[in-house]
Amino acid sequence: RWWDDLWLNESFATLLESKFSNLVESRWHFSTDILLHSHGAMALDLLPSVRRIHEPVLNEDGISTAFDSITYEKGSVVLAMVEDVLGEAGFRKFISDMLKARKFDTYDTAGFVAELRTVPKGAEAADLLLSLIDHTGLPIVNDVLQAFPNDAVPRYQRARMTETQWLQKCKQAVGSPLPQALAIAIGFDISLYTREISLAAYLSGVRDLAKHAMWEVAGLALENLQFIILEMPSDQHVKKFAAEVFGPMFAGATSTIDMVVQWQMEKQEADLAEFFALTRSDDKIFRQLMADGLKLLKDDDPFESVYPQARLAPALMAAGQSHEEWVLPRILTHLGKADDVHHRSHLIEALCACRGPKVDAVLEEMLQGDALLTHELTELLDCRARFPEFRVALWAMISRNAGLLLKRLDGDSEVALIQVADAFADIKFVDEVQATIVPLLGHLRGGVPQLALTQDKIRLNAGLLDHLRQEATP
């Protein structure tokens, strides 16, 4: 009926796409996608300024910010928990009856909850629903058995345990079915964000989780490891750890005629190739990717090569980090000729990895020109922000061109101007982002809530980095 009821559309869509996809091919594990994708929402829910699923929408800012992982991913997990209370058959009947009763009509949250209370176990389900859609934050569970029960139901919660308990759960996860192991891996990751475990304990747990047969569990820690390595470049310990644990997985990638298994292997290979291209934690793998990428760039069309597709974008990104002077103009030449959206994306990633005095000037010229589409502008900014050493120059570039960028990032893309800084982990950027964005807020849809979120994210990143540095190995 109104924008604050948007979750009724999008949370259901997210839940049902997972259900239907799982019916088509259960080996793709779409049933666990709901929990896997909620990982980002859980991290977002640690921020003080995060919105609720059912958030009152009073202006355009509220509309713009309603389309986020809280609405989609958190909302889908909450509905899965409601389904667990009602039972699959009871949930299906409730939804079917609701749709028939309101055919060609609208719905709102109050009406939905009222009807939910009329079905068997509906009162319990409604209370659970309201406790999660009308409040922010991750509910904390202190009981280990309650936190990780022996079933496949996704739950939106985090466990609070000792390091010893967490490491025991990580060992247990190795032989556990995917749903239980994934819940443990996600909870373990969140405990690092909240600074409840040490870096040493985190690495120990990751070593065990990496032994799980399914990549969803084994590779979940890559994002955190990437953060640690890029933000603490002088600490060689984590680099060596990553090379030791994940290097053999990359080297052992094989092909198969089973399309389902092949798809999963390619996902693992692509994730690892991108990780090593960004972090350079395994020198041998990085140098091979760079050599492959340089060879690809010399071709008339890098994308007509027989080179493994899973490694293609990371190889180009590694090539961008070389010191060969011909690489930058060659990437620009290929970008000027490319019209495939995926090919252009790969080349933009490679461009953003380039180093040298000319690069920032080239990037600024591209931001000011019309060679890039709107979504490519945001991609360029986000890709460049991955690298800590480029962020000062990048934010200065954004500040100089903020008005122009705002005109080009029309509609829902406007907040991308702020979201670029979500990756930053230096507390000084809290004030710098404020100084740049506040004068634009009257023209930036969704700017007020997004500015608060981004500043909270910088504080969270900076706090985690301080926590990690306390025990970093020189």
Side-chain angles (χ1 to χ4, degrees):
R1 182 167 294 168
W2 185 242
W3 293 103
D4 50 12
D5 302 314
L6 181 72
W7 72 274
L8 285 166
N9 274 14
E10 309 306 346
S11 302
F12 269 103
T14 307
L15 173 69
L16 293 177
E17 70 181 9
S18 172
K19 282 181 165 293
F20 295 151
S21 301
N22 195 59
L23 289 172
V24 173
E25 178 50 84
S26 61
R27 291 185 299 160
W28 267 323
H29 306 297
F30 282 111
S31 59
T32 59
D33 265 9
I34 300 170
L35 180 59
L36 181 63
H37 293 156
S38 72
H39 185 201
M42 290 179 179
L44 190 61
D45 236 344
L46 298 175
L47 306 180
S49 56
V50 70
R51 57 180 292 277
R52 294 169 283 177
I53 294 176
H54 181 219
E55 183 78 26
V57 174
L58 307 175
N59 51 40
E60 271 198 308
D61 277 0
I63 298 173
S64 296
T65 55
F67 294 86
D68 66 355
S69 61
I70 296 297
T71 293
Y72 288 78
E73 280 76 32
K74 179 179 179 178
S76 66
V77 177
V78 172
L79 287 175
M81 294 169 71
V82 168
E83 180 185 33
D84 180 52
V85 174
L86 299 183
E88 188 174 10
F91 182 73
R92 187 186 302 119
K93 184 178 187 305
F94 164 60
I95 299 302
S96 180
D97 291 346
M98 179 192 75
L99 291 173
K100 290 173 184 175
R102 293 296 184 102
K103 190 161 94 169
F104 305 125
D105 200 353
T106 58
Y107 240 92
D108 61 13
T109 301
F112 179 83
V113 172
E115 292 196 28
L116 179 58
R117 291 191 182 278
T118 66
V119 304
K121 296 187 178 179
E124 178 187 348
D127 290 343
L128 172 65
L129 177 73
L130 291 173
S131 72
L132 289 165
I133 68 170
D134 283 338
H135 298 87
T136 63
L138 265 169
I140 297 173
V141 178
N142 294 306
D143 182 278
V144 178
L145 293 178
Q146 187 182 354
F148 304 110
N150 227 2
D151 59 32
V153 179
R155 290 176 175 83
Y156 197 79
Q157 59 191 32
R158 72 179 180 92
R160 180 175 284 163
M161 301 191 294
T162 65
E163 284 191 351
T164 300
Q165 288 175 315
W166 271 121
L167 294 181
Q168 288 173 345
K169 294 304 292 184
C170 289
K171 288 184 182 296
Q172 177 188 325
V174 177
S176 298
L178 178 58
Q180 289 93 316
L182 184 58
I184 292 170
I186 290 174
F188 188 58
D189 247 31
I190 294 296
S191 71
L192 182 67
Y193 298 159
T194 56
R195 293 173 266 170
E196 293 172 356
I197 58 172
S198 64
L199 176 57
Y202 183 70
L203 296 181
S204 179
V206 168
R207 187 183 293 276
D208 283 323
L209 291 171
K211 298 172 186 174
H212 196 276
M214 300 308 302
W215 180 243
E216 293 95 327
V217 176
L220 188 75
L222 284 187
E223 186 174 345
N224 277 350
L225 292 175
Q226 179 180 304
F227 173 86
I228 295 167
I229 292 169
L230 291 179
E231 301 296 339
M232 302 194 307
S234 62
D235 187 336
Q236 297 300 308
H237 174 62
V238 182
K239 274 190 172 184
K240 292 177 182 176
F241 169 86
E244 176 189 339
V245 173
F246 293 101
M249 295 186 192
F250 180 74
T254 57
S255 61
T256 172
I257 61 172
D258 187 323
M259 289 182 62
V260 174
V261 177
Q262 179 67 16
W263 177 78
Q264 292 167 337
M265 290 297 296
E266 287 181 357
K267 176 72 166 64
Q268 175 178 327
E269 187 178 7
D271 288 348
L272 285 169
E274 180 177 333
F275 174 77
F276 287 120
L278 279 169
T279 65
R280 308 172 71 158
S281 51
D282 187 306
D283 189 61
K284 182 179 179 181
I285 292 174
F286 177 76
R287 288 188 178 279
Q288 184 60 59
L289 287 170
M290 179 185 284
D292 294 344
L294 291 172
K295 184 178 179 181
L296 287 166
L297 286 175
K298 289 178 180 178
D299 290 345
D300 290 336
D301 186 346
F303 305 104
E304 290 297 322
S305 167
V306 295
Y307 188 72
Q309 292 299 300
R311 302 185 184 192
L312 198 149
L316 293 175
M317 192 191 311
Q321 298 174 63
S322 74
H323 295 285
E324 300 281 351
E325 291 187 2
W326 62 268
V327 168
L328 176 61
R330 190 67 175 168
I331 292 173
L332 293 172
T333 297
H334 284 306
L335 185 60
K337 295 188 296 184
D339 55 9
D340 181 280
V341 63
H342 300 294
H343 297 170
R344 290 181 61 82
S345 176
H346 298 336
L347 290 165
I348 289 170
E349 286 186 348
L351 176 64
C352 290
C354 288
R355 289 168 163 78
K358 299 179 181 178
V359 180
D360 285 327
V362 169
L363 294 178
E364 188 160 13
E365 185 178 337
M366 295 186 77
L367 290 177
Q368 294 170 343
D370 57 5
L372 299 179
L373 301 173
T374 298
H375 76 273
E376 292 174 339
L377 283 175
T378 63
E379 187 173 3
L380 184 146
L381 296 173
D382 289 339
C383 288
R384 193 66 171 171
R386 282 173 159 184
F387 300 92
E389 65 266 37
F390 301 149
R391 289 174 188 160
V392 171
L394 175 65
W395 192 256
M397 187 189 310
I398 290 172
S399 298
R400 285 193 299 271
N401 297 279
L404 174 63
L405 286 170
L406 188 56
K407 291 178 181 177
R408 297 199 61 197
L409 297 172
D410 57 336
D412 294 332
S413 300
E414 293 172 359
V415 293
L417 197 62
I418 310 173
Q419 290 170 330
V420 174
D422 285 357
F424 295 1
D426 189 332
I427 200 70
K428 73 179 183 184
F429 281 111
V430 171
D431 291 334
E432 292 193 17
V433 172
Q434 172 98 357
T436 300
I437 299 301
V438 166
L440 304 173
L441 287 179
H443 310 282
L444 205 165
R445 191 190 313 168
V448 173
Q450 185 59 57
L451 177 59
L453 267 180
T454 293
Q455 290 177 305
D456 281 345
K457 187 69 167 67
I458 296 171
R459 294 185 187 100
L460 180 71
N461 292 340
L464 175 56
L465 190 55
D466 286 343
H467 170 69
L468 295 169
R469 282 173 172 159
Q470 290 175 12
E471 56 173 311
T473 305

